[in-house]
Amino acid sequence: MKWRLKDWGWNVRIIFGCILLATLLRFLHGFWFNPMDHLFSDPARHWNNATHFFSPDLMGGADPILYQLYLFVIQQLTFSNKWIIGAVTGVLCAVMPWTYYRASRAFGLGKYDALIVWAVIAWIPSLWTIYGYFMMETLLLPLVGLALWMTGRSARKRDRKAFLWISFLWVLVVLTKPSVAPLAGIALFYAWFCSGKPIRTGLWAAGLALLLLLPNTVRTWQVLGFPAPLGMSWLTKIQHRSDAKHIEIFWNDGRWIFSSPSAYQQPLDPISLWAISRAYHDDKIVVHARSENGVRDWKETYESLPNDLSGFIRRYTENWALMLFAPSWPDAGHQDPIALLNHWHRWIWAPVILFCVIGDMVIIRKDWRQALHPVPLFTLSLLIFLWFQPYVTMEGRYRKPLEPLLIMNTVWLCGRFFQNKARSVQ
């Protein structure tokens, strides 16, 4: 049944008014904080990757391909016009929260609860300020929301066409940022399981995925000397295991230096001045590699690094602290009021994660079938992967794909709590 304005209560009208205001401000943010004004470090690298899409250097070959392709298309269609790009970015920023509203509805949340999800995501600073920069998360967030929505739809429709659509979307998500691959795998398995597990449907989806992965497989083989359809992971793996602040790469005739923003942050500020170990020394790991040697140079460098148990445990512990408390870079700071809010509101995620984990476990303990509900299933799956992955030094920005799911999970848990309370009163 559709909602009519005259049927809305005052609370629904307030929530919807907040959504409309946030949507307008998010669109205008593309003009006020235009990404064309912030071409430095990673945003400049992404812009350069798109500019040289058909003649990539090391970074163009190493980075996932879809965001490069997206920016390349934007450059060509807008002629790199600052204000048209601001409008496109504003539309993407404004539409993103709506995709999670649709996903919430597809996962069984009521319209009122789904509106709350939409409103919170629309106003939360960390899912807003990133759109002032050319970063992969600006495309990743709406793609994940769209893929989640279509996953719920596929589980309900249970037909091959719907499953192939979500297979297409989740491959696009992974081609944007491979760290979301575990969520994609769980979501696809969930939809396939709900569809009655037809083997032929799974084979069609696998064939579609291979077809979509093929272009970047060929491209990276030509550029890097070995296939890397999701982008090359050796850079981050070497830097993470080395415990060095910087990684300096001599590749073919070029030279690159980069480091993790986490090495320059104090995630527990102002409570503590603690920082990860590599922040206290200014050393670097040097990598010499040539494309004609394929993966050999990268693999030998990685395997030559010490990997003792104490260092392994310390890096895990540091990653946990970074995931819970690190500010996002480059969109959190003191450059404007919203970025300042983004910097300080990072403290909400640790209690939200604790609430979701405990609440989900209590509900699953009472009814084990709730472990297959998409909201706790997808939230806990991505949380566990981010918490225990041993290959990348965490950043606050890597938490962003999890944040809308945490908001959805929190609203879902609160809805369950009030439903149970109402039943107990009756």
Short mmCIF file of all heavy atoms in Angstrom, two decimals, residues 59 233-240 242 244-250 255-260 264 278 283-288 298 301 305:
data_model
loop_
_atom_site.label_atom_id
_atom_site.label_comp_id
_atom_site.label_asym_id
_atom_site.label_seq_id
_atom_site.Cartn_x
_atom_site.Cartn_y
_atom_site.Cartn_z
N MET A 59 50.54 2.76 -11.09
CA MET A 59 49.36 2.99 -10.26
C MET A 59 48.08 2.68 -11.04
O MET A 59 47.13 2.14 -10.49
CB MET A 59 49.34 4.44 -9.77
CG MET A 59 50.42 4.78 -8.77
SD MET A 59 50.27 3.83 -7.23
CE MET A 59 51.72 2.78 -7.33
N SER A 233 47.58 -6.34 -5.24
CA SER A 233 47.59 -6.21 -3.78
C SER A 233 48.99 -6.18 -3.19
O SER A 233 49.13 -5.96 -1.98
CB SER A 233 46.81 -7.38 -3.17
OG SER A 233 47.44 -8.63 -3.50
N TRP A 234 50.03 -6.41 -4.00
CA TRP A 234 51.38 -6.52 -3.45
C TRP A 234 51.86 -5.24 -2.77
O TRP A 234 52.59 -5.30 -1.78
CB TRP A 234 52.37 -6.94 -4.54
CG TRP A 234 52.16 -8.33 -5.03
CD1 TRP A 234 51.65 -8.71 -6.24
CD2 TRP A 234 52.44 -9.54 -4.32
NE1 TRP A 234 51.60 -10.08 -6.33
CE2 TRP A 234 52.08 -10.62 -5.17
CE3 TRP A 234 52.95 -9.83 -3.06
CZ2 TRP A 234 52.21 -11.94 -4.78
CZ3 TRP A 234 53.09 -11.16 -2.67
CH2 TRP A 234 52.73 -12.19 -3.53
N LEU A 235 51.45 -4.09 -3.26
CA LEU A 235 51.89 -2.82 -2.65
C LEU A 235 51.49 -2.74 -1.19
O LEU A 235 52.31 -2.47 -0.31
CB LEU A 235 51.31 -1.64 -3.43
CG LEU A 235 51.72 -1.47 -4.89
CD1 LEU A 235 50.96 -0.30 -5.51
CD2 LEU A 235 53.21 -1.23 -4.99
N THR A 236 50.21 -2.95 -0.92
CA THR A 236 49.72 -2.84 0.45
C THR A 236 50.20 -3.99 1.32
O THR A 236 50.47 -3.80 2.51
CB THR A 236 48.19 -2.78 0.46
OG1 THR A 236 47.67 -3.88 -0.31
CG2 THR A 236 47.69 -1.48 -0.15
N LYS A 237 50.33 -5.18 0.74
CA LYS A 237 50.81 -6.33 1.51
C LYS A 237 52.26 -6.13 1.95
O LYS A 237 52.62 -6.41 3.11
CB LYS A 237 50.68 -7.60 0.68
CG LYS A 237 49.25 -8.08 0.49
CD LYS A 237 49.13 -9.18 -0.53
CE LYS A 237 49.82 -10.44 -0.10
NZ LYS A 237 49.59 -11.54 -1.09
N ILE A 238 53.09 -5.62 1.04
CA ILE A 238 54.50 -5.39 1.38
C ILE A 238 54.61 -4.30 2.43
O ILE A 238 55.36 -4.43 3.42
CB ILE A 238 55.30 -5.02 0.11
CG1 ILE A 238 55.44 -6.25 -0.79
CG2 ILE A 238 56.68 -4.47 0.47
CD1 ILE A 238 56.02 -5.94 -2.17
N GLN A 239 53.89 -3.21 2.24
CA GLN A 239 53.98 -2.12 3.21
C GLN A 239 53.49 -2.58 4.59
O GLN A 239 54.10 -2.24 5.60
CB GLN A 239 53.15 -0.93 2.74
CG GLN A 239 53.30 0.28 3.66
CD GLN A 239 52.29 1.35 3.38
OE1 GLN A 239 51.15 1.05 3.04
NE2 GLN A 239 52.68 2.60 3.53
N HIS A 240 52.41 -3.33 4.62
CA HIS A 240 51.85 -3.76 5.91
C HIS A 240 52.81 -4.66 6.66
O HIS A 240 53.09 -4.44 7.85
CB HIS A 240 50.52 -4.49 5.66
CG HIS A 240 49.83 -4.90 6.92
ND1 HIS A 240 49.38 -3.99 7.85
CD2 HIS A 240 49.51 -6.13 7.41
CE1 HIS A 240 48.82 -4.63 8.86
NE2 HIS A 240 48.88 -5.93 8.62
N SER A 242 56.06 -4.98 6.24
CA SER A 242 57.38 -4.39 6.47
C SER A 242 57.45 -3.54 7.73
O SER A 242 58.54 -3.32 8.26
CB SER A 242 57.75 -3.51 5.27
OG SER A 242 56.96 -2.34 5.24
N ALA A 244 57.26 -0.52 7.77
CA ALA A 244 57.92 0.72 7.38
C ALA A 244 56.88 1.82 7.19
O ALA A 244 55.73 1.56 6.82
CB ALA A 244 58.72 0.52 6.10
N LYS A 245 57.31 3.05 7.42
CA LYS A 245 56.41 4.18 7.26
C LYS A 245 56.15 4.49 5.79
O LYS A 245 55.07 4.93 5.41
CB LYS A 245 56.99 5.41 7.96
CG LYS A 245 56.01 6.56 8.15
CD LYS A 245 56.60 7.62 9.06
CE LYS A 245 55.58 8.69 9.40
NZ LYS A 245 56.14 9.69 10.36
N HIS A 246 57.17 4.27 4.96
CA HIS A 246 57.06 4.58 3.53
C HIS A 246 57.42 3.35 2.71
O HIS A 246 58.20 2.49 3.15
CB HIS A 246 58.00 5.71 3.13
CG HIS A 246 57.91 6.93 4.00
ND1 HIS A 246 56.90 7.84 3.90
CD2 HIS A 246 58.73 7.35 5.00
CE1 HIS A 246 57.08 8.79 4.79
NE2 HIS A 246 58.18 8.53 5.47
N ILE A 247 56.86 3.26 1.54
CA ILE A 247 57.28 2.27 0.56
C ILE A 247 57.72 3.01 -0.69
O ILE A 247 56.99 3.86 -1.21
CB ILE A 247 56.16 1.25 0.26
CG1 ILE A 247 56.63 0.24 -0.79
CG2 ILE A 247 54.87 1.93 -0.18
CD1 ILE A 247 55.68 -0.95 -0.97
N GLU A 248 58.95 2.74 -1.14
CA GLU A 248 59.51 3.38 -2.32
C GLU A 248 59.65 2.32 -3.40
O GLU A 248 60.26 1.26 -3.18
CB GLU A 248 60.87 4.00 -2.02
CG GLU A 248 61.47 4.75 -3.20
CD GLU A 248 62.75 5.48 -2.84
OE1 GLU A 248 63.33 5.19 -1.77
OE2 GLU A 248 63.19 6.35 -3.63
N ILE A 249 59.06 2.60 -4.56
CA ILE A 249 58.99 1.60 -5.62
C ILE A 249 59.75 2.10 -6.85
O ILE A 249 59.47 3.20 -7.34
CB ILE A 249 57.53 1.30 -6.00
CG1 ILE A 249 56.72 0.92 -4.76
CG2 ILE A 249 57.44 0.21 -7.04
CD1 ILE A 249 55.25 1.15 -4.91
N PHE A 250 60.68 1.29 -7.30
CA PHE A 250 61.34 1.53 -8.58
C PHE A 250 60.82 0.47 -9.53
O PHE A 250 61.15 -0.71 -9.42
CB PHE A 250 62.86 1.42 -8.43
CG PHE A 250 63.46 2.51 -7.58
CD1 PHE A 250 63.62 2.33 -6.20
CD2 PHE A 250 63.85 3.72 -8.14
CE1 PHE A 250 64.16 3.33 -5.42
CE2 PHE A 250 64.41 4.72 -7.37
CZ PHE A 250 64.56 4.53 -6.00
N ARG A 255 59.46 5.91 -10.54
CA ARG A 255 59.68 5.87 -9.09
C ARG A 255 58.46 6.43 -8.38
O ARG A 255 57.94 7.49 -8.76
CB ARG A 255 60.92 6.69 -8.73
CG ARG A 255 61.19 6.84 -7.24
CD ARG A 255 62.49 7.60 -7.03
NE ARG A 255 62.74 7.90 -5.63
CZ ARG A 255 62.42 9.04 -5.04
NH1 ARG A 255 61.81 10.00 -5.73
NH2 ARG A 255 62.70 9.23 -3.75
N TRP A 256 57.97 5.73 -7.35
CA TRP A 256 56.82 6.15 -6.57
C TRP A 256 57.13 6.00 -5.09
O TRP A 256 57.84 5.06 -4.68
CB TRP A 256 55.59 5.32 -6.89
CG TRP A 256 55.00 5.55 -8.24
CD1 TRP A 256 53.95 6.35 -8.57
CD2 TRP A 256 55.43 4.96 -9.48
NE1 TRP A 256 53.69 6.31 -9.92
CE2 TRP A 256 54.58 5.46 -10.51
CE3 TRP A 256 56.44 4.06 -9.82
CZ2 TRP A 256 54.72 5.08 -11.84
CZ3 TRP A 256 56.59 3.70 -11.15
CH2 TRP A 256 55.74 4.20 -12.14
N ILE A 257 56.62 6.89 -4.27
CA ILE A 257 56.71 6.79 -2.82
C ILE A 257 55.32 7.05 -2.24
O ILE A 257 54.67 8.02 -2.61
CB ILE A 257 57.71 7.81 -2.22
CG1 ILE A 257 59.12 7.57 -2.75
CG2 ILE A 257 57.71 7.71 -0.69
CD1 ILE A 257 60.14 8.56 -2.22
N PHE A 258 54.87 6.18 -1.35
CA PHE A 258 53.62 6.46 -0.67
C PHE A 258 53.64 5.81 0.71
O PHE A 258 54.50 4.97 1.02
CB PHE A 258 52.41 6.00 -1.49
CG PHE A 258 52.20 4.52 -1.55
CD1 PHE A 258 51.37 3.89 -0.64
CD2 PHE A 258 52.79 3.75 -2.55
CE1 PHE A 258 51.16 2.53 -0.70
CE2 PHE A 258 52.59 2.39 -2.62
CZ PHE A 258 51.76 1.77 -1.68
N SER A 259 52.71 6.23 1.55
CA SER A 259 52.59 5.68 2.90
C SER A 259 51.14 5.72 3.32
O SER A 259 50.30 6.38 2.68
CB SER A 259 53.45 6.49 3.88
OG SER A 259 53.10 7.85 3.86
N SER A 260 50.82 5.03 4.39
CA SER A 260 49.45 4.97 4.87
C SER A 260 49.14 6.19 5.73
O SER A 260 49.94 6.57 6.58
CB SER A 260 49.24 3.69 5.70
OG SER A 260 47.99 3.73 6.36
N TYR A 264 50.26 8.63 10.31
CA TYR A 264 50.36 10.04 10.67
C TYR A 264 49.23 10.47 11.62
O TYR A 264 49.03 11.65 11.85
CB TYR A 264 50.32 10.92 9.42
CG TYR A 264 51.44 10.62 8.45
CD1 TYR A 264 51.28 9.64 7.47
CD2 TYR A 264 52.65 11.29 8.52
CE1 TYR A 264 52.30 9.36 6.58
CE2 TYR A 264 53.68 11.01 7.64
CZ TYR A 264 53.49 10.04 6.67
OH TYR A 264 54.52 9.74 5.79
N ARG A 278 54.73 2.17 13.38
CA ARG A 278 55.49 2.75 12.27
C ARG A 278 55.44 4.28 12.25
O ARG A 278 56.18 4.91 11.52
CB ARG A 278 55.01 2.18 10.94
CG ARG A 278 53.64 2.59 10.51
CD ARG A 278 53.19 1.81 9.30
NE ARG A 278 52.92 0.42 9.65
CZ ARG A 278 52.83 -0.57 8.77
NH1 ARG A 278 53.00 -0.32 7.50
NH2 ARG A 278 52.59 -1.80 9.17
N ASP A 283 61.36 5.31 8.47
CA ASP A 283 62.09 4.43 7.57
C ASP A 283 61.23 4.06 6.37
O ASP A 283 60.07 4.45 6.27
CB ASP A 283 62.53 3.15 8.31
CG ASP A 283 61.35 2.42 8.92
OD1 ASP A 283 60.24 2.98 8.92
OD2 ASP A 283 61.53 1.29 9.40
N LYS A 284 61.83 3.33 5.46
CA LYS A 284 61.09 2.95 4.25
C LYS A 284 61.56 1.60 3.76
O LYS A 284 62.67 1.15 4.05
CB LYS A 284 61.26 4.00 3.15
CG LYS A 284 62.68 4.15 2.63
CD LYS A 284 62.76 5.26 1.59
CE LYS A 284 64.20 5.45 1.11
NZ LYS A 284 64.31 6.57 0.15
N ILE A 285 60.68 0.94 3.02
CA ILE A 285 61.00 -0.31 2.35
C ILE A 285 61.12 0.01 0.86
O ILE A 285 60.28 0.72 0.30
CB ILE A 285 59.91 -1.38 2.60
CG1 ILE A 285 60.21 -2.66 1.82
CG2 ILE A 285 58.53 -0.88 2.26
CD1 ILE A 285 61.35 -3.46 2.36
N VAL A 286 62.18 -0.46 0.23
CA VAL A 286 62.44 -0.19 -1.17
C VAL A 286 62.14 -1.45 -1.99
O VAL A 286 62.59 -2.55 -1.63
CB VAL A 286 63.89 0.26 -1.40
CG1 VAL A 286 64.15 0.52 -2.89
CG2 VAL A 286 64.18 1.53 -0.59
N VAL A 287 61.39 -1.27 -3.06
CA VAL A 287 61.02 -2.38 -3.94
C VAL A 287 61.53 -2.09 -5.35
O VAL A 287 61.26 -1.01 -5.89
CB VAL A 287 59.49 -2.59 -3.98
CG1 VAL A 287 59.13 -3.76 -4.88
CG2 VAL A 287 58.93 -2.79 -2.57
N HIS A 288 62.27 -3.02 -5.90
CA HIS A 288 62.70 -2.93 -7.30
C HIS A 288 61.96 -4.01 -8.09
O HIS A 288 62.03 -5.20 -7.75
CB HIS A 288 64.21 -3.15 -7.42
CG HIS A 288 65.03 -2.06 -6.78
ND1 HIS A 288 65.43 -0.94 -7.46
CD2 HIS A 288 65.50 -1.93 -5.51
CE1 HIS A 288 66.13 -0.16 -6.65
NE2 HIS A 288 66.19 -0.74 -5.46
N TRP A 298 57.87 -8.82 -6.91
CA TRP A 298 56.98 -8.45 -5.81
C TRP A 298 56.89 -9.58 -4.77
O TRP A 298 56.95 -9.32 -3.56
CB TRP A 298 55.58 -8.16 -6.36
CG TRP A 298 55.54 -7.09 -7.38
CD1 TRP A 298 55.51 -7.23 -8.74
CD2 TRP A 298 55.55 -5.67 -7.14
NE1 TRP A 298 55.49 -6.01 -9.36
CE2 TRP A 298 55.51 -5.04 -8.41
CE3 TRP A 298 55.55 -4.89 -5.99
CZ2 TRP A 298 55.48 -3.66 -8.53
CZ3 TRP A 298 55.53 -3.51 -6.12
CH2 TRP A 298 55.50 -2.91 -7.38
N THR A 301 60.16 -9.90 -2.69
CA THR A 301 60.26 -8.84 -1.68
C THR A 301 59.34 -9.14 -0.50
O THR A 301 59.75 -8.99 0.66
CB THR A 301 59.89 -7.48 -2.29
OG1 THR A 301 60.75 -7.20 -3.39
CG2 THR A 301 60.03 -6.37 -1.26
N LEU A 305 60.46 -10.39 3.87
CA LEU A 305 60.17 -9.58 5.06
C LEU A 305 59.92 -10.46 6.27
O LEU A 305 59.31 -11.53 6.15
CB LEU A 305 58.95 -8.70 4.81
CG LEU A 305 59.08 -7.67 3.68
CD1 LEU A 305 57.73 -7.02 3.40
CD2 LEU A 305 60.12 -6.61 4.04
#
